[in-house]
Amino acid sequence: MTKRKPGKRKYLPFVSAVVFVTGAAAVMMFLLAQFALEQWQERQTYLLSARLSSQEITTELCTSMSRFAGFEELWTVMESEVTLTIGDWQISTTLMGVDLDTFPFTPVRSAGEKKLGSVPLLLAGEEIFNTMTDANGTAITTRQSKILTESMEGLTAQIVLEASNLAGSSGSAGNSDGSGYTSADTAEFLGLISGDGLYMDADQMRRWLAGYGSSASVHLVWLRIKGKRNAEAAEKSLIDAGFQALLCG
């Protein structure tokens, strides 16, 4: 007859209890970490973009958005298609008019102090020089892009407004040369920012466009909302209302 080893089974309840306690502790730690993360997220602010292509975003719509739970700030964005030329290099892009003093930019490189006046002043995404081409479509070299970046403080550019893309335009503007584009204006840079895009102060952009007898309507806004749940709720409300909304963090 085979003899059982004494004491083997009496340890099984103890082992099971240890496994249970260890598992329960792990679950508790996970829940506590999840709770802490959620609490942290509710203290953070989030940026939310909202686009309405079918119609202009009016002051009344902006007022409605300001009633979202956790709302902190809203920025309207005017848009017009332009071609930016520096020497032999150019890029076609969307020029955006915003409040340069309050819009949530992350500065990367300054071109020095400059005052708003009759000369258009631009903020550009840090990769803008890297994406330029010549008239034949040949991409700029790394060396040439670096030269533009390092000489940005005294750099001038030609900015050409595409008349056919102006709100209320019939395809020509007061300064149009008949090619579908307005005549070029000399612009200077204020600096580079993290990300992409080309920006001008909203008030200056309005005056600049008025010089061509036109204006740009607002189809895009950015909102800053406190709390992830509030931001997600606002995003859903905007989508349900027909906006293209995107929570960017």
Side-chain angles (χ1 to χ4, degrees):
M1 178 182 294
T2 304
K3 293 183 178 181
R4 295 179 179 177
K5 294 182 179 180
K8 185 174 181 181
R9 289 192 174 183
K10 70 179 182 181
Y11 291 107
L12 291 179
F14 174 75
V15 172
S16 298
V18 171
V19 171
F20 174 79
V21 171
T22 303
V27 171
M28 182 61 69
M29 291 296 293
F30 172 78
L31 292 176
L32 287 173
Q34 187 71 21
F35 177 76
L37 175 62
E38 290 176 357
Q39 292 299 304
W40 178 83
Q41 289 174 333
E42 294 311 306
R43 293 192 298 268
Q44 303 307 302
T45 57
Y46 294 82
L47 290 176
L48 175 63
S49 68
R51 179 179 292 280
L52 189 61
S53 301
S54 59
Q55 66 185 76
E56 184 175 4
I57 299 177
T58 62
T59 301
E60 290 75 15
L61 285 174
C62 291
T63 300
S64 297
M65 294 180 206
S66 70
R67 299 191 183 102
F68 287 139
F71 172 85
E72 291 191 345
E73 197 161 2
L74 179 147
W75 298 273
T76 58
V77 182
M78 297 184 298
E79 300 171 293
S80 287
E81 300 304 310
V82 300
T83 296
L84 183 72
T85 303
I86 306 173
D88 296 329
W89 309 104
Q90 63 184 22
I91 183 173
S92 294
T93 187
T94 301
L95 176 66
M96 291 172 279
V98 299
D99 185 337
L100 295 184
D101 292 330
T102 63
F103 197 78
F105 295 118
T106 301
V108 173
R109 186 186 183 103
S110 173
E113 293 290 334
K114 298 179 183 180
K115 293 183 179 180
L116 291 176
S118 59
V119 176
L121 298 179
L122 307 171
L123 272 178
E126 58 189 324
E127 296 297 320
I128 191 166
F129 298 136
N130 296 334
T131 54
M132 302 188 87
T133 64
D134 64 15
N136 297 318
T138 303
I140 193 171
T141 65
T142 301
R143 177 178 174 276
Q144 290 162 329
S145 175
K146 184 178 180 181
I147 291 173
L148 293 182
T149 301
E150 292 178 346
S151 61
M152 185 177 53
E153 185 170 346
L155 200 63
T156 59
Q158 298 297 311
I159 184 169
V160 179
L161 192 64
E162 187 175 354
S164 60
N165 285 341
L166 288 173
S169 173
S170 60
S172 61
N175 294 348
S176 176
D177 61 5
S179 64
Y181 290 86
T182 61
S183 57
D185 285 296
T186 299
E188 297 179 0
F189 287 93
L190 285 170
L192 299 180
I193 56 173
S194 177
D196 53 16
L198 184 66
Y199 298 86
M200 182 186 291
D201 179 77
D203 288 337
Q204 186 177 53
M205 186 169 174
R206 290 189 188 96
R207 294 193 299 270
W208 183 58
L209 292 174
Y212 297 100
S214 191
S215 61
S217 56
V218 174
H219 294 274
L220 173 66
V221 296
W222 282 85
L223 300 95
R224 183 164 61 203
I225 296 177
K226 185 174 183 178
K228 187 175 182 181
R229 291 178 186 174
N230 290 335
E232 289 175 341
E235 180 185 34
K236 183 179 185 303
S237 295
L238 288 167
I239 292 173
D240 291 344
F243 285 81
Q244 296 170 286
L246 180 63
L247 186 60
C248 302

